[in-house]
Amino acid sequence: MRELIRETAVSLRATVVIALLGCLFYPLAVYAIGHTVLRWQADGSLIDKHGEAAGPDEAVGSRLLGQGFKAPEYFHPRPSAAGSGYDAANSSGTNLGPISDKLLNGVADDPKTKDVDESFAGIKQLVDAYRAENKLPAGALVPGDAVTRSASGLDPDITPANAGLQATRIAAARGVAIEEVRAFVARETQGRQWGLFGEPRFNVLEANLALDRELPKRTTTPDGKVAAAPSTAL
């Protein structure tokens, strides 16, 4: 009996110690280090309209979370399955396999349920829409990230190839030379992490903020002069 009591006491003490270490001291240590050494990153990597580190009151978004852009003068992110699209409170992918007919061919809306939109754009529909949107010929190859949804639905980056194919649309919408947009894409393309991991990438939010600063939309005034139009999208 004494042996049982002793072993039970040892087990209880070990449980309390492990609980304190894992549930109290370790989280406090991670929080303290994060907010001391990497405060901006720990607070969500928020940026303002100038692309600089910002607090919640001045932020227009996080460089780590994608946003939906639809205006023709901006770079568009990859498709998203997070809620109605880039819903940070509902992160998710499609959970469809690579040979799924729904993923490849999509699903039309059921006319019997008028109050619910059950349509789903498959890869074929997304390819056609991407070509039309960016004025590409019918047989043009389309980057995979332009027509597939990420696992989180919140991917902030697209491939440089995807960004480059959007240059014609953006140049026309902003009234600038396409060479300027292509040079911009080259400047904004980020290399591999630490030069080793991953692939070159293009952050959509940071690029769109930089677009408004470096290549503002140009309009023609009644007297024939070209002027920069103020941006209202961000």
Side-chain angles (χ1 to χ4, degrees):
M1 186 65 179
R2 289 182 178 179
E3 185 67 19
L4 177 61
I5 294 175
R6 189 180 69 83
E7 292 295 334
T8 301
V10 171
S11 299
L12 289 174
R13 287 197 297 269
T15 300
V16 171
V17 170
I18 292 174
L20 289 174
L21 289 175
C23 301
L24 179 62
F25 295 114
Y26 175 73
L28 285 176
V30 171
Y31 180 86
I33 294 172
H35 281 75
T36 301
V37 181
L38 302 170
R39 184 174 183 84
W40 177 64
Q41 291 87 342
D43 286 338
S45 300
L46 303 177
I47 56 177
D48 61 20
K49 63 181 181 180
H50 304 294
E52 303 294 336
D57 294 335
E58 301 83 21
V60 296
S62 167
R63 69 183 306 272
L64 300 179
L65 296 178
Q67 295 186 26
F69 287 90
K70 296 182 179 180
E73 64 266 27
Y74 289 105
F75 291 100
H76 296 175
R78 63 189 301 181
S80 169
S84 58
Y86 285 98
D87 180 358
N90 194 15
S91 174
S92 67
T94 63
N95 293 325
L96 298 174
I99 61 172
S100 166
D101 183 70
K102 179 179 179 180
L103 179 68
L104 297 175
N105 299 306
V107 174
D109 186 27
D110 187 351
K112 298 179 181 179
T113 55
K114 297 181 179 180
D115 297 333
V116 180
D117 183 4
E118 298 170 321
S119 63
F120 179 86
I123 290 177
K124 289 184 178 180
Q125 290 81 19
L126 292 172
V127 167
D128 291 340
Y130 185 87
R131 287 172 176 160
E133 178 181 75
N134 294 293
K135 299 179 176 58
L136 301 176
L141 295 177
V142 174
D145 67 298
V147 294
T148 54
R149 302 159 176 88
S150 68
S152 68
L154 302 173
D155 192 345
D157 303 319
I158 58 177
T159 60
N162 187 352
L165 289 177
Q166 299 184 48
T168 300
R169 165 176 52 79
I170 293 170
R174 288 184 174 266
V176 301
I178 188 171
E179 290 77 12
E180 293 184 89
V181 180
R182 287 172 176 165
F184 175 87
V185 170
R187 289 196 304 272
E188 290 294 316
T189 296
Q190 303 171 31
R192 292 179 171 85
Q193 188 74 32
W194 301 319
L196 296 173
F197 303 110
E199 296 293 331
R201 60 199 186 280
F202 187 87
N203 189 285
V204 174
L205 175 59
E206 289 183 317
N208 284 337
L209 292 172
L211 262 181
D212 284 340
R213 297 193 304 271
E214 299 179 25
L215 298 174
K217 188 175 181 180
R218 297 168 189 172
T219 59
T220 303
T221 61
D223 58 0
K225 295 181 179 180
V226 177
S231 172
T232 58
L234 292 173

